[in-house]
Amino acid sequence: MGQQERDDESTVTSVAADEETWNHRKQTRILELSTKLINGDLQTQIEAARDIRKVVRKSSAKTRSKFAAAGVIQPLVEMLLSPNLDARHASLLALLNLAVRNERNKVNIVTAGAISPLVELLNFENSNLRELAAAAILTLSAAAPNKPTIAASGAAPLLLQILISGSVQGKVDAVTALHNLSTGVEDSNLILDARAVPPLMELLKECKKYSKFAEKATALLEILSHSEEGRIAITNSDGGMLTLVETVEDGSLISMEHAVGALLTLCRSCRDKYRQLILKEGAIPGLLRLTVEGTFEAQERARTLLDLLRDTPQEKIIASSVLEKIVYDKVDLVNGTDKAAETARRLLQDMVKRSMEVSMNRIQLRAASSTTPSKIPSS
């Protein structure tokens, strides 16, 4: 064996030894903290909960699983019921960090009975504890097995109250939690009511329309558009219809799909009432583009909505499907059938692009005139 090979082998052995030592120290620390949490007095438990949070917040899912295996979840859940606010705060943060990026821990925390004390915390006057509880429910509701339990707990109306009157971060967390719950129940209307529309619209105005947050907000607005109260609230919301049209124009594939779904539901419910409101906000360019570039579902929704809108005589709007056929037939005569489909698609895209210029200029002018930076996360 050469000197280089011996050096390499020595390095590998040294790294393995260091890793083993580190793992041993970490396991010792986990056992130490779990023992203090399980057997200590209240102050010792509070300190242990704080230390668990510090250890796990930058650790792997494996470390979180090791803490759970050491039995820390049940005593932390019991601390949520303590009359001592420091105990509640420390245990809440520890549980929140144990649940992040660990599905099994999420399920085990709910199984241990965490939802009832968390719902109680959502009623607290202490805004910090209330919004931390909302963040915990957000995290726990991401696990599918937890959704029915949380939905049945009475958490949704309290999350809605945070959406209405909480801090920006509290509102964002409430939207995400409500969105999680809406995907886990058969009747999403049990999770939401029309009071959610004004704050959802305000948040959607402020955020980037292609963000993950916009996708959740538009999904909730689409759900709300299926009730008469929700439709009235959307119509009465300042700039609500325009905000949906802007999302159709500038959103991600998912948020565009939900936004056009909400507009379509409005128009289907009463064409005479909503058709003019939608047309007034300049929806046609975005809908035309959506028939070409959207998801399959968004394309179908956009075509259907265009068909409903075209019945206004003074507007003389051509349905997207008719427009596509006209373009295709013209190209077929000139270029032949083989190239007709692709050429027609390219020409239609160019027509949509040109028709959107005025609309996009309007959006850019509005964005340039805004001086308030958004505090809403784009993720």
Side-chain angles (χ1 to χ4, degrees), residues 5-126:
E5 291 174 320
R6 286 195 294 271
D7 290 345
D8 290 344
E9 184 176 329
S10 176
T11 299
V12 170
T13 303
S14 176
V15 169
D18 288 345
E19 186 176 348
E20 184 177 348
T21 300
W22 168 249
N23 287 334
H24 178 72
R25 287 177 183 172
K26 184 179 287 187
Q27 188 61 39
T28 300
R29 182 65 168 154
I30 290 170
L31 292 174
E32 175 191 340
L33 291 175
S34 62
T35 300
K36 287 182 177 180
L37 186 69
I38 295 167
N39 299 322
D41 58 22
L42 183 60
Q43 190 55 44
T44 301
Q45 288 181 316
I46 292 172
E47 292 172 1
R50 289 170 177 166
D51 287 339
I52 288 172
R53 183 215 176 188
K54 290 177 184 176
V55 172
V56 301
R57 35 183 322 194
K58 294 183 179 180
S59 296
S60 64
K62 185 177 180 180
T63 300
R64 293 178 173 86
S65 295
K66 287 183 176 180
F67 268 108
V72 303
I73 288 178
Q74 191 64 53
L76 285 171
V77 169
E78 290 171 2
M79 285 174 68
L80 289 175
L81 295 166
S82 172
N84 185 302
L85 292 185
D86 287 339
R88 288 189 169 192
H89 186 266
S91 62
L92 182 50
L93 287 174
L95 287 167
L96 184 54
N97 282 272
L98 284 168
V100 171
R101 296 190 298 278
N102 192 303
E103 294 301 296
R104 180 174 293 181
N105 281 2
K106 288 182 177 74
V107 173
N108 288 340
I109 288 168
V110 171
T111 302
I115 298 305
S116 180
L118 286 175
V119 170
E120 183 181 333
L121 287 173
L122 288 176
N123 272 310
F124 260 45
E125 292 185 6
N126 185 310

Side-chain angles (χ1 to χ4, degrees), residues 160 163-164 171-172 174-176 178-179 192-207 213-214 216-224 234 237 243 376:
L160 178 56
L163 172 59
I164 294 169
K171 291 179 178 182
V172 169
V175 168
T176 306
L178 288 168
H179 178 263
L192 297 164
D193 66 56
R195 292 177 299 158
V197 170
L200 280 172
M201 282 297 186
E202 287 303 313
L203 291 168
L204 187 57
K205 286 179 189 177
E206 291 292 325
C207 74
F213 179 81
K216 297 178 179 69
T218 50
L220 295 180
L221 286 167
E222 184 181 359
I223 291 169
L224 288 160
I234 290 171
S237 180
T243 301
I376 301 170

